[in-house]
Amino acid sequence: MCIRDSIRGRIRELSCNKFASNVIEKCLFHLTPKAQHDILVEMYDVPEEVIHAMLQDSFGNYIIQSSIALASAKDLHFIDGRLRAALQTTPYGSKIEARLDRRLKGKQVPTRSAQIGASSKSTRSGPQPRSPPNGTVSPPNPRSPKSANNGAAPEGEEAW
C-alpha cells in the first residue's frame, strides 16, 4: 500500500493533526503533479465552512500556506477560487491572501522548509562578537572566567 492510497479521503483530517500534517506537506512536495493535484482537489473541493475550519487550525493553516507555495499554476488558480471568500472572514487571512497574490503574479513564495535550509547554509556559525565603537577597548567582564581576578568573586559578592 502506498502513502498516497492511505491518506486518500482523509487529507483534511490529517492536515489538522500535528504529526500527520508533516506527512501531507511532504506528499505535496514529493508526489507527482497528478497526485499533488488530487490532494489539492480533495483539500479544497469542499464547502467553505470546512476550508474556514482548516484556516482556523494552526496545522491546517500551515498546510494551506504550503499548498499555495507548492501548487502548479493551474492548481493555484483553483485554490484561489476556492479560498478567496474564506480568507475575508479569517484572522490573518490578509497575510495568506498576500501570499496567494504574490504567487499568482509569478513571484516565488518561500516555504518554511526552504527558509530553514537557506539559513543552515549560511557562512556564519553563530553570533559574532561586536567590536566597540571607535576602536575603544571594552572593560573586562567581571563574571568571565578569563577576567583579571582569576575566578574570584566580584567585589561585594561572596564566592560559592
Side-chain angles (χ1 to χ4, degrees):
M1 175 181 260
C2 170
I3 290 177
R4 181 179 54 189
D5 296 334
S6 62
I7 65 174
R8 184 172 288 137
R10 302 179 58 208
I11 299 295
R12 290 177 305 281
E13 171 196 352
L14 296 173
S15 294
C16 294
N17 178 284
K18 180 178 182 175
F19 302 107
S21 63
N22 293 323
V23 174
I24 301 299
E25 181 188 18
K26 297 297 181 191
C27 288
L28 286 171
F29 187 78
H30 292 289
L31 289 178
T32 64
K34 169 71 173 114
Q36 183 189 56
H37 174 76
D38 293 343
I39 288 174
L40 293 174
V41 167
E42 182 179 335
M43 237 172 88
Y44 290 105
D45 199 18
V46 294
E48 188 176 320
E49 299 81 38
V50 176
I51 293 174
H52 194 271
M54 277 186 71
L55 285 165
Q56 295 296 319
D57 182 82
S58 59
F59 304 110
N61 187 302
Y62 181 74
I63 293 300
I64 286 174
Q65 291 183 51
S66 294
S67 71
I68 292 169
L70 298 170
S72 67
K74 180 180 114 181
D75 287 333
L76 199 56
H77 289 284
F78 169 71
I79 292 170
D80 183 40
R82 301 295 302 157
L83 197 56
R84 207 50 89 157
L87 290 175
Q88 303 304 318
T89 58
T90 303
Y92 307 111
S94 60
K95 292 182 184 270
I96 297 172
E97 193 170 18
R99 176 179 283 251
L100 188 57
D101 289 338
R102 282 193 310 267
R103 187 69 209 288
L104 285 168
K105 291 178 183 173
K107 296 180 182 175
Q108 285 295 327
V109 178
T111 60
R112 179 161 162 47
S113 57
Q115 291 169 347
I116 291 171
S119 66
S120 67
K121 294 177 185 174
S122 142
T123 56
R124 291 179 58 176
S125 60
Q128 300 296 320
R130 292 177 26 186
S131 60
N134 301 328
T136 59
V137 178
S138 60
N141 181 352
R143 298 195 186 270
S144 171
K146 294 182 180 179
S147 67
N149 62 6
N150 294 326
E155 187 178 326
E157 294 184 20
E158 292 183 26
W160 292 18

